[in-house]
Amino acid sequence: MRKLLSALALGTALALTGCEAAPISTYEPQPYVKIAAPDWTRDAVIYQLNTRQFTKQGTFAAAQEQLPRLAEMGVDIVWLMPIHPIGEENRKGGMGSPYSVRDYRAINPDLGTEAEFRAFVDTAHELGLKVILDWVANHSAWDNPLTGEHPDWYTRTPEGEMMPPLGTDWSDVVDFDYSNPELRRYMTESLTYWVREFGIDGYRADVAGFVPLDFWETARAELDKVKPVFMLAEWETPDLHARAFDATYAWKWKEAMQELVADGSGAGAVRGYYATQETTWPRAAYRMTYTDNHDQNSWDGVASQIYGPAYEAAIALSFVGPGMPLIYNGQEADLDRQLAFFEKDEIEWKKGRYDGLFRQLIALRTEERALWNGEHGAPMVDVPSDASADVLSFVRGAKGERVFGVFNLSPRAQSVGFERARHHGHYVDALSGEAATFGENDEPLALAPWGYRIFREAD
């Protein structure tokens, strides 16, 4: 009766206003993300490769010899730092910054020839790897020919002089003015050139937020006409995902991890990051989680020193929590310093203590669909405990295919008792292979300071 009265009241109200009820389809939720990431990104792990520092020779040909190792390790996407000729005017250091681009359609001869780069890409593809290039759309080198041929493409000071990007100390580069449609066409055609002529698979966009979003949206549409590409933005806003980028940096994840390590405050900062991610970002968005990359020197030391005893837990959480993980070249060899940015500084290759961990974590992500990227994986569901201030515990996946993670994100030893049955079932420790069962009246789970456990549900 109440339903009938409500319907009659609604009909009366609509009649009085002269309006007709909108069909229910009007209120169906619409996906925020309008682009589709390539299928091969669903469980992908990224590997950042600094060609200059990756081998003694610092060339594509030498790096190509290590591609089988990377494929066997399990990585999927090789991100090459900028491969273009480097500006000489106002150069920083002896070799300059690869982000000071002198020619967007040429290869830095220090790294090799076009034929050698093509061979690198072809070999990667034969091994099942994808290759993305680092692209610097926001600025060029001072001696890029564009500064003379198209001076109107550049931002000017009030005195009419070319200038570095506003608010930066990037004195070796000059800022582009994206109000010029000819610049936009040139840059878009340069992006499509490398996809069309060399078969690369996408881009990592340097300081993507410094460039207007509508440029990236147009460029993505043009790139996808050549072939489906993967686009990673060095930026952190949801709007980039609608029509331009598949992935963005999870800076706030890294900052939250570094915060809790620095002050010993417990799991709150990271729990807050994941809650914000779940409630305010589209599920289809890939967020790149990482502990180290080429500009980690913005912090006081390298990642292994920043995270200290929490380094291993941070690596593991970057793989099993929601996110698209990144490995920085040399992490698997226990790289213990920040590589020089403007000089030659070769990685010292050895069998590192984390090499096996990376391999296990990559294999786990590949095998457990719950850990896949974005909407292809499962949400993180909190498993409350009596140590929640310090311990992050969660499951991902439906019953029968769950992954259960317990991370002590504090310098204090923990004895963890769980307060809900969300994780109950039979599991195997994902790293040790030991069987584990969780149910009513379990003994507390002991965790050392910064200790963690990852369990995969048994068949």
Side-chain angles (χ1 to χ4, degrees):
M1 178 61 72
R2 284 196 297 270
K3 290 182 179 179
L4 176 60
L5 291 174
S6 297
L8 290 171
L10 176 61
T12 301
L14 291 171
L16 290 173
T17 60
C19 297
E20 294 184 5
I24 191 63
S25 59
T26 303
Y27 304 101
E28 289 289 340
Q30 299 299 311
Y32 182 78
V33 176
K34 308 298 184 183
I35 53 176
D39 288 345
W40 47 263
T41 65
R42 293 183 177 186
D43 63 344
V45 173
I46 306 174
Y47 188 95
Q48 184 185 2
L49 195 157
N50 182 339
T51 310
R52 177 191 288 175
Q53 317 296 25
F54 196 63
T55 63
K56 181 178 181 179
Q57 299 88 341
T59 62
F60 299 126
Q64 181 179 329
E65 296 178 2
Q66 289 209 43
L67 289 178
R69 176 181 69 82
L70 298 182
E72 191 269 335
M73 186 178 177
V75 300
D76 304 280
I77 301 171
V78 177
W79 151 22
L80 292 178
M81 288 176 63
I83 65 170
H84 309 296
I86 295 172
E88 296 182 4
E89 186 177 348
N90 297 326
R91 172 176 284 193
K92 290 187 175 184
M95 300 185 74
S97 166
Y99 294 88
S100 176
V101 177
R102 197 169 61 191
D103 187 343
Y104 285 93
R105 301 184 189 180
I107 286 174
N108 182 350
D110 293 340
L111 306 181
T113 65
E114 284 192 3
E116 288 167 334
F117 175 64
R118 193 182 304 278
F120 178 94
V121 175
D122 290 345
T123 299
H125 287 167
E126 291 167 4
L127 293 167
L129 299 169
K130 304 297 183 180
V131 178
I132 65 173
L133 296 186
D134 212 326
W135 196 260
V136 190
N138 178 69
H139 48 263
S140 78
W142 286 88
D143 49 355
N144 188 308
L146 297 176
T147 60
E149 296 168 1
H150 300 283
D152 56 320
W153 290 7
Y154 288 87
T155 306
R156 301 284 175 162
T157 68
E159 293 74 30
E161 299 169 347
M162 292 185 185
M163 56 182 282
L166 188 66
T168 74
D169 62 354
W170 303 343
S171 58
D172 56 340
V173 297
V174 278
D175 190 61
F176 279 125
D177 177 2
Y178 271 82
S179 67
N180 193 306
E182 292 182 354
L183 166 62
R184 291 177 175 230
R185 180 171 62 184
Y186 166 83
M187 195 63 70
T188 302
E189 290 176 350
S190 297
L191 287 161
T192 59
Y193 168 79
W194 293 96
V195 176
R196 184 181 63 252
E197 299 299 326
F198 293 87
I200 70 148
D201 303 291
Y203 291 96
R204 177 264 188 188
D206 185 61
V207 289
F210 281 19
V211 178
L213 176 55
D214 62 341
F215 163 78
W216 291 120
E217 292 177 341
T218 299
R220 174 59 182 267
E222 292 301 307
L223 287 164
D224 278 343
K225 290 177 183 177
V226 182
K227 76 173 188 179
V229 294
F230 168 72
M231 297 291 286
L232 163 65
E234 188 200 18
W235 209 249
E236 193 172 25
T237 55
D239 58 344
L240 292 172
H241 289 278
R243 292 179 174 85
F245 290 94
D246 306 295
T248 50
Y249 273 50
W251 280 322
K252 288 184 173 57
W253 181 90
K254 178 174 67 71
E255 291 165 2
M257 285 297 302
Q258 292 174 338
E259 174 188 331
L260 64 87
V261 170
D263 63 15
S265 57
V270 164
R271 181 174 283 108
Y273 165 82
Y274 285 126
T276 300
Q277 174 68 24
E278 179 68 23
T279 56
T280 65
W281 286 72
R283 283 270 295 133
Y286 299 166
R287 308 302 316 289
M288 190 180 76
T289 49
Y290 64 98
T291 52
D292 199 5
N293 76 347
H294 69 278
D295 59 1
Q296 192 70 42
N297 58 354
S298 61
W299 298 87
D300 186 18
V302 298
S304 59
Q305 297 166 348
I306 293 169
Y307 296 101
Y311 184 48
E312 184 174 324
I315 291 172
L317 186 56
S318 75
F319 276 80
V320 299
M324 187 177 200
L326 168 77
I327 301 171
Y328 180 54
N329 56 190
Q331 276 192 283
E332 72 271 40
D334 297 350
L335 183 66
D336 60 358
R337 69 186 190 283
Q338 180 61 41
L339 296 174
F341 203 69
F342 309 114
E343 310 291 348
K344 175 66 175 173
D345 188 10
E346 180 188 348
I347 296 171
E348 298 173 15
W349 289 107
K350 60 184 178 182
K351 183 80 171 189
R353 62 176 294 195
Y354 300 109
D355 180 86
L357 176 65
F358 280 121
R359 292 169 184 268
Q360 284 186 295
L361 292 171
I362 293 172
L364 178 66
R365 279 181 54 85
T366 302
E367 296 163 7
E368 296 292 344
R369 192 182 185 95
L371 304 183
W372 287 11
N373 300 318
E375 63 186 346
H376 306 295
M380 173 184 280
V381 177
D382 184 53
V383 177
S385 77
D386 56 11
S388 290
D390 286 342
V391 174
L392 179 71
S393 49
F394 58 89
V395 291
R396 297 185 66 190
K399 186 173 178 58
E401 53 185 26
R402 291 171 295 181
V403 174
F404 175 35
V406 189
F407 287 78
N408 179 13
L409 300 178
S410 81
R412 298 167 284 278
Q414 304 289 339
S415 180
V416 187
F418 301 103
E419 299 174 346
R420 294 291 179 93
R422 296 170 180 172
H423 65 300
H424 286 184
H426 301 287
Y427 293 81
V428 173
D429 188 296
L431 302 182
S432 71
E434 297 178 358
T437 297
F438 297 96
E440 300 293 341
N441 303 316
D442 284 340
E443 292 293 321
L445 184 66
L447 291 175
W450 309 113
Y452 68 95
R453 301 288 297 277
I454 304 168
F455 303 95
R456 57 197 307 179
E457 195 159 15
D459 294 334

